[in-house]
Amino acid sequence: RVASTAPERDGTTAWWVDLGVLDSGGNVAEQIATSIGVVPGQNVIGELARRLRGKRSLLVLDNAEHVLDATAAVIAALLTSCPETSALITSRQPLGLGGEVVWRVPELSMPENTANVTLDTFDRYDAHRLFMVRAREARPGMVVDRRAVGYVATICRELDGMPLALELAAARLRSFPLPTVAAGIADIIRWRVGDRTKPARHATLRASIEWSFGLISPFEQRALVCLSTFR
């Protein structure tokens, strides 16, 4: 949304770059070049700088945590040579660059007490709205009545408002009624999203956890296993 509305606000040329498709050794500079229409050569960063220099530009880089060092190096080089360029990077860790402003994405809003949720207050909460958007993709025409309000509020609370978990739960509505989905929420670790266009790490909660686990060092992995409450 930021990338698509930037030109309307102040004439900035914006590009969205998906880093999630790269493996841990992926070439960040080449991915940026491909996304903004530059044919990468031997000096990719130099070619990018020539394209961006003198223009008000915004690079939106999504999912940088597994290529953090490479992203930091490329962005530092580009911002130094292209002062009118800005970068917005989504990552689970900051890049650690001078001048970096860190904004922590807030959790989806949810009611403190699901028993107090009514039809009138249901749409006030981000978690409920996200669940219903995905639920209606899985089951078009789904209507929220008084009984459904309670089930959806309970599902969102049980899943702590985690977006991926809510999407997994909503996808189950293709095969099961809402009460069944709510009753089986404890097994969500094994549920799978049916959308084949999603990255493999978003197919199941287990895949997401394994992908995240793989991003930390062997020492951190051992520490996490020792400290974990659950298997």
Side-chain angles (χ1 to χ4, degrees), residues 4 7 26 33 42-43 45 121 142 158 183 203 211 222:
S4 63
Q42 291 185 341
N43 182 9
I45 293 180
T121 62
M142 179 177 172
E158 289 293 320
W211 187 80
R222 291 194 298 272

Side-chain angles (χ1 to χ4, degrees), residues 138-162:
R139 182 170 289 186
M142 179 177 172
V143 177
V144 178
D145 56 21
R146 294 182 185 277
R147 191 178 179 204
V149 162
Y151 285 125
V152 173
T154 298
I155 289 172
C156 292
R157 172 58 59 189
E158 289 293 320
L159 299 179
D160 295 324
M162 291 187 295

Side-chain angles (χ1 to χ4, degrees), residues 4-20:
S4 63
T5 59
E8 301 172 5
R9 290 197 307 271
D10 57 10
T12 297
T13 301
W15 290 279
W16 184 78
V17 183
D18 182 12
L19 299 180

Side-chain angles (χ1 to χ4, degrees), residues 46-99:
E47 293 163 355
L48 286 171
R50 283 191 290 275
R51 174 67 178 273
L52 298 172
R53 192 174 293 123
K55 302 175 183 177
R56 187 189 296 271
S57 304
L58 172 66
L59 296 175
V60 181
L61 277 57
D62 194 27
N63 292 310
E65 53 269 1
H66 63 303
V67 285
L68 203 63
D69 292 340
T71 301
V74 172
I75 291 301
L78 290 178
L79 297 188
T80 299
S81 57
C82 307
E84 294 188 1
T85 295
S86 300
L88 174 64
I89 297 102
T90 72
S91 174
R92 299 185 188 187
Q93 291 178 273
L95 295 188
L97 297 178

Side-chain angles (χ1 to χ4, degrees), residues 113-125:
N113 186 347
T114 57
N116 296 333
V117 180
T118 65
L119 278 170
D120 293 332
T121 62
F122 181 80
D123 283 338
R124 294 180 186 176
Y125 304 103

